[in-house]
Amino acid sequence: NAGVTQTPKFRVLKTGQSMTLLCAQDMNHEYMYWYRQDPGMGLRLIHYSVGEGTTAKGEVPDGYNVSRLKKQNFLLGLESAAPSQTSVYFCASSRQAAYEQYFGPGTRLTVT
Amino acid sequence: GDSVTQMEGPVTLSEEAFLTINCTYTATGYPSLFWYVQYPGEGLQLLLKATKADDKGSNKGFEATYRKETTSFHLEKGSVQVSDSAVYFCALPNAGGTSYGKLTFGQGTILTVHP
């Protein structure tokens, strides 16, 4: 099992550009999450999904959109990137709510 | 709301020293508790977990006991190695409401082990 994978691993964007981060899991988990990690801020939840076709907002959803068209994939989109979105983005999945989450290796995004 | 407080770091130790990283929590009910580890440039890995009071989670020589009376989940290891150098996060999942299992993390403790 590959677990949770993320693509790309690194990306540099100019302000105003758009991009999509892809998360895939092969554990048949229902729940998937997108976090961002910033120095001194810990991990903050951006959006999450409780099943195929569902999405919900987390703590810091502004400027991001998500989609979960297939159970194994969870996409995070930035429509118009801003320097404040420079961060490391982690995807995670879990079998059910309140169970342990399994994390991907992360995507390091820089917006100039 | 739920919260997790970890001891302030960073922590610097010599190889074979004893490690304790304190973690206390505030939560509704009795959620599971987790310790995650993040090695440089990598994602978070589940290190150990405990699902109910008095449970002891253990893995790779690390241990933590779920103490309901003191609302604590301190991480310990008897003899650290250089390879244990990483950031350690205590975490708990929101057990109810609309949070759907969102993990609340402590601020992280940076551990550096010198030979």
Side-chain angles (χ1 to χ4, degrees):
Chain A
N1 284 353
V4 180
T5 58
Q6 292 182 234
T7 53
K9 288 185 168 44
F10 302 93
R11 186 73 186 267
V12 178
L13 289 179
K14 295 187 187 306
T15 298
Q17 289 185 318
S18 63
M19 78 163 294
T20 300
L21 283 66
L22 171 64
C23 174
Q25 53 94 4
D26 61 2
M27 297 174 281
N28 201 35
H29 285 170
E30 290 293 334
Y31 292 76
M32 296 187 74
Y33 309 83
W34 276 107
Y35 293 89
R36 58 179 289 174
Q37 185 178 34
D38 303 292
M41 300 292 289
L43 283 93
R44 294 180 290 172
L45 182 66
I46 305 171
H47 286 281
Y48 62 96
S49 168
V50 302
E52 182 178 309
T54 75
T55 64
K57 294 180 180 180
E59 301 170 89
V60 288
D62 294 343
Y64 305 96
N65 56 76
V66 288
S67 64
R68 184 118 181 253
L69 299 179
K70 293 183 179 180
K71 186 177 184 177
Q72 63 268 34
N73 295 337
F74 195 29
L75 278 62
L76 177 71
L78 286 73
E79 291 185 348
S80 180
S84 61
Q85 294 177 305
T86 293
S87 187
V88 181
Y89 292 85
F90 289 102
C91 177
S93 71
S94 65
R95 187 153 52 99
Q96 292 185 28
Y99 278 52
E100 61 270 27
Q101 294 180 17
Y102 294 88
F103 284 78
T107 295
R108 186 174 295 275
L109 174 67
T110 302
V111 183
T112 60
Chain B
D2 294 355
S3 67
V4 177
T5 302
Q6 285 183 233
M7 66 184 292
E8 293 185 11
V11 175
T12 303
L13 295 172
S14 297
E15 209 164 24
E16 299 184 2
F18 184 84
L19 168 71
T20 300
I21 301 177
N22 290 340
C23 170
T24 57
Y25 66 90
T26 303
T28 303
Y30 303 105
S32 296
L33 297 172
F34 308 119
W35 275 101
Y36 282 86
V37 59
Q38 185 177 29
Y39 297 102
E42 298 185 11
L44 279 75
Q45 301 175 24
L46 179 67
L47 180 59
L48 54 83
K49 67 178 182 180
T51 58
K52 60 184 187 296
D54 299 326
D55 260 5
K56 177 184 283 189
S58 61
N59 185 28
K60 299 181 181 180
F62 291 89
E63 293 183 339
T65 301
Y66 191 153
R67 301 284 188 200
K68 183 179 66 173
E69 61 278 7
T70 54
T71 61
S72 65
F73 192 54
H74 304 324
L75 183 68
E76 297 181 337
K77 187 174 186 182
S79 176
V80 294
Q81 305 300 312
V82 172
S83 57
D84 293 328
S85 298
V87 183
Y88 292 82
F89 294 92
C90 185
L92 63 87
N94 287 12
T98 59
S99 301
Y100 290 98
K102 163 185 134 22
L103 285 178
T104 296
F105 289 93
Q107 61 267 45
T109 300
I110 300 172
L111 171 66
T112 303
V113 180
H114 293 298

